[in-house]
Amino acid sequence: MSRILMVYASMTGNTQEVAEAIAEGIRSTGKDLEIKEVMDATAKELEDYDAILLGAYTWGDGDLPDECLDFYEEMDDIDLSGKKVAAFGSCDSAYEHVGAAVDILLKKASERGAETPLEGLKIELSPNAKEVEICKQFGVSFSELLG
């Protein structure tokens, strides 16, 4: 059975809501996962899992949040070859680079050798009921990629 880890950062709770809905989708397929906030995780831990979900809100004009920066830099020292990685986050279309943190995380995972088979999931602010279902389906889709 695949070992799945979700690591995310959430300031206002929006990205946490997205994370919880994705987790519900994964668990609905019978798979289990470990969930950690980014401040409680290290990039090195990612090497111990078969599949990884990375979540972050976009800060400022298209940046990773400050609490993700050390984790992101640590990713330069790991090998994610053979692992599947997906990314998600809350965003705000009032900014020029909507959901850029999701793209930044996917790019880094790919640079470290991971397969990134799903397009990043970007949810405007707090997910509404329809978007919660989209998040759950994202979790199901990711889970199904693992066999």
Side-chain angles (χ1 to χ4, degrees):
M1 182 179 244
S2 297
R3 293 192 66 212
I4 308 169
L5 175 65
M6 177 187 288
V7 178
Y8 74 92
S10 184
M11 182 191 317
T12 62
N14 294 340
T15 301
Q16 181 178 356
E17 287 182 54
V18 173
E20 289 169 354
I22 292 170
E24 187 176 335
I26 290 170
R27 290 180 177 133
S28 76
T29 68
K31 292 187 172 64
D32 196 19
L33 76 156
E34 186 171 350
I35 302 173
K36 292 186 174 199
E37 290 191 38
V38 73
M39 297 297 285
D40 298 326
T42 65
K44 186 73 177 156
E45 289 177 82
L46 302 181
E47 293 180 326
D48 297 333
Y49 292 83
D50 305 302
I52 302 146
L53 295 122
L54 300 172
Y57 60 95
T58 300
W59 181 250
D61 194 32
D63 301 313
L64 284 174
D66 287 347
E67 63 267 34
C68 290
L69 295 179
D70 288 343
F71 183 89
Y72 180 79
E73 289 175 14
E74 289 172 12
M75 287 180 73
D76 287 333
D77 299 324
I78 62 171
D79 180 8
L80 296 178
S81 299
K83 301 180 187 307
K84 288 187 173 44
V85 176
F88 63 92
S90 60
C91 54
D92 187 341
S93 61
Y95 291 94
E96 181 180 354
H97 302 287
V98 179
V102 173
D103 302 328
I104 290 168
L105 291 170
L106 280 176
K107 183 173 188 254
K108 178 63 79 177
S110 182
E111 288 171 357
R112 303 313 311 149
E115 297 173 41
T116 55
L118 296 178
E119 186 175 320
L121 178 64
K122 300 174 184 180
I123 300 294
E124 178 82 12
L125 303 173
S126 179
N128 62 34
K130 181 179 177 184
E131 290 166 330
V132 166
E133 293 306 314
I134 291 169
C135 295
K136 289 178 187 176
Q137 186 54 51
F138 185 83
V140 169
S141 296
F142 187 70
S143 181
E144 289 172 347
L145 290 170
L146 307 177

